[in-house]
Amino acid sequence: MPRAAAASGPTAAIDIGGTKIAGALVHPDGTMTATTRRPTPRGGDADTVMAAVAEVVADLAAAPDWPSVRRCGIGSAGPVDSARGTVSPVNITAWRDYPLLARTREVLAGHGRPVPAVLVGDGVAMTAAEHWLGAARGHANALCMVVSTGVGGGLVLDGRLHPGPTGNAGHIGHISVDFGGEECACGGRGCVESIASGTAIARWAREQGWTGPDPTAAGVAAAARAGDPVALAAFDRAGRALAAAIAATATLVETGIAVIGGGVAASGDTLFGPVRAHLATYATLGFVSGLEVVPAALGNDAGLIGAASAAMTLLPSS
C-alpha cells in the first residue's frame, strides 16, 4: 500500500496520452469516482492541449468530494522530466519542455485546491498501479512494462516506487539488446523499443513479406495465432528482445517479477510464450532463474490508479 494511502481524502488523478486525457478522484482504497475524459486535441497549440486538461480538472471540481482532495498525481506520456515538471510527449507535438506540473497546479488552485502535485511518466504510473492493486502486489522488487506503440516501464525496489531523479528509472524500452541493430528513434541502436513495440513488430513483419489485411501489431498477432510463419517470427523476435532486457534488469537489481501491460500484451500467449521461452536463455543465474513474467491486471484503469498511487507514495503525507 502506498505510504500515504491511509491519509484522509481522495487524490485527484490525471492521465495524459496521445489520444485521451482522463481524470478521476481516487480514494484511499483504490476506488474511483467522478471519472471523466476528453480527447487529446490534434493540431492545436500547447494552450489548446492544456485547455483540455483544465476541462478534466473542472469536471473533477464539480464532484461532491472535491473539497476533500488532498493531493494530485499526473501521469503523462513521455519523455517527462519530473524534477523540472516538464513533458515533451512524442505523441503530443504541441508540448515540448512544457511546464505541465506548474500549469496544472495553477488550474487546481483556480478551483480552490492548491494541493501538492507530482508528475510521473506513464510507465512509472503503470508500475505504481500494478504494485498497489495489480499483478505486482506483494512483491518487494518488480519491473513493470508497457508494450504498446512504444516500450516503457518502471521499477519497484525494496517495496517502494523508484522513479529516479527525473522520473525515468526503469525505462526498459531503451536498453540495447542488439548492438548491430537499427537506429532507434531515441538515437541509440538496437533498443528494445525498436524491436518489440507494436509499431516495430508490424513494420518488421511487412518487411519480411507479410501482407495481412490489418497492418498493425494486432493484425500480426491474429495471423500468428492462425499459424502464419512470418507473424510467428515477428513475435518471437519481439519476445526475445523483451526477455533479454527483462533478464538484464533482473540481474542488475534482483526483481522477482516482470509485469507486462499495454496493447501488445493483449495478444496474450502470442507474446508471453516467446518471452518466457527465451527468458530461460538469458535468466540463467540462480538468483534470477525463478523470475516470473505475468500480464498486467488493471488494464485501462492503470494510468489513473497509478497517478494517484504515485502521489500517495511520493508526496508527503497530508
Side-chain angles (χ1 to χ4, degrees), residues 121 167 220 227 253 261 276:
V220 180
V253 295
R276 290 169 178 148

Side-chain angles (χ1 to χ4, degrees), residues 232-261:
L232 285 166
F235 270 87
D236 186 75
R237 179 174 179 264
R240 184 178 181 182
L242 290 168
I246 290 168
T249 303
T251 302
L252 185 66
V253 295
E254 290 200 59
T255 55
I257 189 170
V259 177
I260 306 178

Side-chain angles (χ1 to χ4, degrees), residues 81-235:
D81 187 332
S82 297
R84 297 173 55 227
T86 60
V87 298
S88 302
V90 172
N91 48 12
I92 305 178
T93 56
W95 279 356
R96 288 295 173 267
D97 291 321
Y98 187 76
L100 176 60
L101 185 58
R103 296 290 182 268
T104 303
R105 284 171 172 160
E106 291 171 1
V107 174
L108 293 166
H111 287 284
R113 306 308 302 154
V115 294
V118 68
L119 168 67
V120 296
D122 50 6
V124 172
M126 177 265 195
T127 300
E130 291 293 333
H131 185 241
W132 182 19
L133 298 173
R137 187 172 187 175
H139 289 265
N141 300 287
L143 165 68
C144 297
M145 306 170 61
V146 180
V147 183
S148 187
T149 53
V151 178
L155 290 167
V156 172
L157 300 177
D158 293 329
R160 296 179 61 84
L161 187 66
H162 181 75
T166 67
N168 291 289
H171 201 342
I172 194 170
H174 296 288
I175 290 178
S176 178
V177 292
D178 181 3
F179 295 152
E182 64 182 85
E183 186 173 356
C184 179
C186 75
R189 227 169 242 292
C191 292
V192 174
E193 183 169 293
S194 68
I195 299 171
S197 71
T199 305
I201 290 170
R203 182 181 66 248
W204 188 86
R206 292 194 300 270
E207 289 171 352
Q208 305 309 306
W210 180 74
T211 57
D214 179 0
T216 67
V220 180
R225 287 191 292 272
D228 183 280
V230 173
L232 285 166
F235 270 87

